[in-house]
Amino acid sequence: MKPGATGRLPLSGVRVIELSVAIAGPTAGRYLAHFGAEVIRVESRKRPDNNRQFYPAGSTVMEPDLAPGFSEFNANKLSLGLHLDDPRGIEIVRRLVQISDVMLDNFAARVLENFGLDYERLYALNPRIILARMQGQGSTGPRRDFISYGEQIQCLTAIKYLTAYEGGQPNGPGSSYPDHVSGVMAAFAVVTALLRRQKSGVGQQIDLSQAQTTAAMLGPILMDALANERSQTPVGNRDPAAAPHGVYRSAGDDRWIAIAVQTERQWQALCRVMDAPALAADSRFAALPDRLANQDALDILVEAWTAGRDPWEAMAALTSAGVPAGAVQDTPDLIYRDPHLAARGFILAGPHKRRGTITFGGVGTRLAGVKPPIHWASALLGEHTEYVLGDLLHMDPAAIADLAAAGVLDLPEWPEGGPDPALAIVP
Amino acid sequence: MFDLLGSPLALDGYRVLELAGDTGHYAGKLLADLGADVIKIEPPGGDPSRRTPPLLQDRTDADSSLSFLYHNLNKRGVTLNLDHPDGRGVFMRLASTADALIETFPPGHLDALEIGYQSLQHRNPGLTLASITPYGQTGPRRDLPGTDLTATAMGGLMAVTGEPGRPPLRVVGDQAYHLAGCYAAYGIVLGLFERLATGTGRHVDISLQEAVAAVTPESGVSGYLFRGTKMERSGSSRRTIFPYGIFRSRDGYVSIAGITMPFWDNIAAWIAEETGDPTITDAAFRVPSSQRAEFAELLTALIEQVTTRYTMEELYQEGQRRRFPIAPVNTPGSLVEDPQLRERGFFAEVDHPAAGTLTYPGAPYAFSESPWRIRRPAPRLGEHNTEIYEGELGLSRTELAVLMASGAI
């Protein structure tokens, strides 16, 4: 069983070893796998990934192969069940390094060094290897070993403090934002290093810090603190260069619409759509500075119009008049109520050995005319152990069986009689 | 580990044209900072992003937008009028020297000017084009207007951000635009890498909505389909698990996340030790974090008895020493003092002829062999017109003068 068997993709022929946990590292591997790389995720039944630990419905028993959210970050990857606390496990990683292009490392900073897999030693094995380290706060510095998951990075980088209502408590994005950003940025850095290797003939180490990656996404706000000594405070949904600019109540239960008026033309169009000529002529709202100064009054008037309207219908009326507007969509809306995402095939689905089919979220990078195949939504833990050791490392079956018996390997627990259709995750 | 002075940069030798302002300039920055020759093409009057706040000391000149200075670091800049036929002629000559192009016009705009992907591919088959628009190049909503705010709404992130009962919240700092920049930059290097094997480029189709949808909640699409219940907005602290959220300190907030049992044990031992009250170590609370959530009020009071005695920094050090996830809720002002960022050299000084010497946020990553490096400040309007049009495209001084007089440049 070989991934990417049909059709060339940009990263076809690139082999990646992924040592990772949770979201950031797996997302990096996922973006590389999506575009054709052969990504070998090293896993262990002793310490399953965080996203394998969520219980299946109605169960209080951890079943790593059935955890529902794992496929969001692991499509098309091979799963190698390997215990790194055993020197024989480390030796297998060293052999893989010799036949691979990239290693992703998203463990705590000290771990790779403790395994004897630091860059100097990888370089000695294969000077073409690219090692992408992606710790929460980087692999050097006094706080490199601090526990730094997405929530902590959000706090450190002020995105938790600033994403909040005006005068309100720190809130932060409702996702583990730094992990997602760091994932795609690590994939970007890896391909950049592959381009460089084409000229230099050698790989290199990339030391990505999730905190730095996230802070760089807030550049102008930090520039304001550095250059103007102005430490910004939360402004909710408002914007210094647009008004009205907010999220307004719509008809329905917890339904809302976002409206962003950036130009005078859009303001006039908004008044026309609202059928409010008096508003267009109101001197309190004549130009942007007026509207910024009178936002509270303005927001009440806008919400009086949106409150009785379906958010998608209001969005259609506003956008067809040239006013930027968007319904606040939740996850079920993305799946069931977005004909645009459906037409673009954003949401993905693929086979799974125990669940049959799993439907999962898409990626942010699209190449026109390319629809990368989903060979599997995610692998069973250890599903590809025999493939990696036998086909890639040419170990004979007896040697593999010995290692398995010695507890160095994890082999998959195959379902009897194939996948259970009742376990499928489909809309 | 290595002496990097004079090392070649990762994207040395690649040329990227950027027809973009606020929605696309982060993509160009990511490439420029790693060595690509990124040429920002502005209309003769300057791109509107030269006015994007925050401004340096509230100045209003064309080099005072801190956003512009930050996002255009390491780029060169020319002016060009694409609405002028001669301007388009110059553009096509420039495009035939480029490896990639970033653009943010409405779908079909460049095609209507006959400088779209087909024309560019015909002239330069190796070119990769990255288009960034609210909804992408295809689909029924492709022509609709949109902004960072509306993309955050349509992409699903806003629905889970904010407090229950209150309006969903925007994520600060134009994150839809920055995310689109990351995904576009990734698409561009994929196109460049694939070209090594195929000789041809790609059209990278980035949708702001999809850029946001790709970072929506961890439970994700499969998690929702599996459970049938959606994630709700929960404000500053998760309500379904405990502890996962903010606690008051003497000088601000810290966030504590102790959802595994070892982390909870470390937290409980610390609180008991500090207060001399062992209540928190009771077996009733030594349960999965979802069951512990029903005691959130009582446990928060116990924890805040301790956290309110100390500063954020003291709590951060002590909590990390005791091995549980804790972090200070930094403001921008405290973030720029962060010792770890400073130790790793995250902040860098850049000298700009009009804006002066300012400290900039720097690199997400360190490359050991081909470094992230500051080579030049953001370009002034038309700064490299002569250097590029005369020196590199081979236009004569007279031709350039004629193009400028006609408004083409």
Side-chain angles (χ1 to χ4, degrees), chain B residues 25-194:
Chain B
H25 53 193
Y26 195 58
K29 174 181 169 60
L30 292 171
L31 300 165
D33 288 347
L34 292 177
D37 175 21
V38 178
I39 301 173
K40 188 173 192 78
I41 300 174
E42 300 181 70
D47 190 84
S49 62
R50 286 186 177 273
R51 312 285 170 190
T52 299
L55 303 173
L56 176 61
Q57 282 132 29
D58 295 318
R59 281 165 34 175
T60 54
D61 58 275
D63 297 297
S64 58
S65 161
L66 295 173
S67 171
F68 188 90
L69 292 170
Y70 173 72
H71 288 110
N72 294 292
L73 187 70
N74 283 330
K75 299 176 189 173
R76 297 195 291 168
V78 296
T79 56
L80 193 58
N81 182 359
L82 294 180
D83 294 328
H84 192 294
D86 293 341
R88 293 198 288 276
V90 172
F91 174 76
M92 287 307 279
R93 286 178 64 174
L94 205 48
S96 67
T97 71
D99 302 287
L101 168 65
I102 299 161
E103 66 95 10
T104 58
F105 291 108
H109 180 83
L110 291 181
D111 294 327
L113 295 175
E114 296 180 341
I115 54 174
Y117 185 61
Q118 300 250 315
S119 313
L120 292 166
Q121 270 268 305
H122 182 69
R123 186 83 173 253
N124 177 1
L127 185 84
T128 284
L129 170 65
S131 298
I132 301 172
T133 60
Y135 294 97
Q137 301 295 304
T138 63
R141 289 187 174 133
R142 64 170 222 155
D143 296 319
L144 301 192
T147 69
D148 183 80
L149 183 80
T150 64
T152 311
M154 289 291 285
L157 183 54
M158 191 180 268
V160 293
T161 302
E163 291 173 13
R166 296 186 73 182
L169 264 181
R170 176 191 200 183
V171 180
V172 76
D174 288 334
Q175 292 308 306
Y177 298 159
H178 286 91
L179 286 166
C182 298
Y183 293 120
Y186 181 51
I188 287 170
V189 293
L190 285 174
L192 296 176
F193 187 72
E194 187 178 34

Side-chain angles (χ1 to χ4, degrees), chain A residues 68-72 335 358-361 425, chain B residues 219-227:
Chain A
F70 189 69
S71 297
E72 300 290 325
I335 300 167
I358 297 179
T359 300
F360 57 98
I425 299 180
Chain B
S219 55
V221 167
S222 53
Y224 167 74
L225 289 170
F226 178 76
R227 286 189 311 273

Side-chain angles (χ1 to χ4, degrees), chain A residues 64-255:
Chain A
D65 290 335
L66 291 176
F70 189 69
S71 297
E72 300 290 325
F73 313 105
N74 293 287
N76 282 2
K77 292 180 195 171
L78 290 81
S79 174
L80 166 63
L82 187 64
H83 294 186
L84 299 177
D85 55 2
D86 186 302
R88 289 166 291 186
I90 298 293
E91 182 52 31
I92 286 167
V93 175
R94 290 166 54 85
R95 289 177 62 184
L96 278 174
V97 167
Q98 293 173 301
I99 59 163
S100 295
D101 301 283
V102 177
M103 181 189 277
L104 296 173
D105 160 41
N106 171 222
F107 291 157
R110 63 188 177 282
V111 175
L112 206 65
E113 291 147 29
N114 292 346
F115 286 156
L117 295 171
D118 49 90
Y119 179 63
E120 281 85 351
R121 276 183 267 200
L122 300 192
Y123 180 89
L125 291 169
N126 174 7
R128 290 173 60 80
I129 195 82
I130 292 161
L131 172 63
R133 309 198 65 182
M134 41 187 309
Q135 280 70 38
Q137 300 198 56
S139 71
T140 64
R143 298 181 176 179
R144 65 168 212 158
D145 286 316
F146 275 22
I147 300 169
S148 304
Y149 294 110
E151 167 74 2
Q152 288 82 55
I153 306 291
Q154 291 200 29
C155 293
L156 287 172
T157 55
I159 198 167
K160 176 105 176 173
Y161 167 78
L162 288 168
T163 298
Y165 302 100
E166 191 172 351
Q169 284 192 328
N171 192 101
S175 80
S176 197
Y177 190 70
D179 286 88
H180 296 280
V181 176
S182 300
V184 65
M185 284 292 288
F188 163 71
V190 161
V191 179
T192 304
L194 285 169
L195 281 167
R196 176 65 204 153
R197 189 181 75 175
Q198 197 69 20
K199 288 182 183 167
S200 69
V202 295
Q204 58 182 312
Q205 172 171 266
I206 299 159
D207 173 11
L208 179 146
S209 149
Q210 295 175 37
Q212 289 170 223
T213 301
T214 309
M217 303 281 275
L218 300 164
I221 291 167
L222 303 190
M223 291 279 288
D224 205 13
L226 291 159
N228 294 327
E229 296 186 8
R230 183 163 54 202
S231 185
Q232 293 189 15
T233 54
V235 295
N237 290 319
R238 289 184 170 166
D239 190 282
H245 191 277
V247 178
Y248 305 95
R249 192 176 289 282
S250 300
D253 177 25
D254 196 31
R255 287 294 177 191

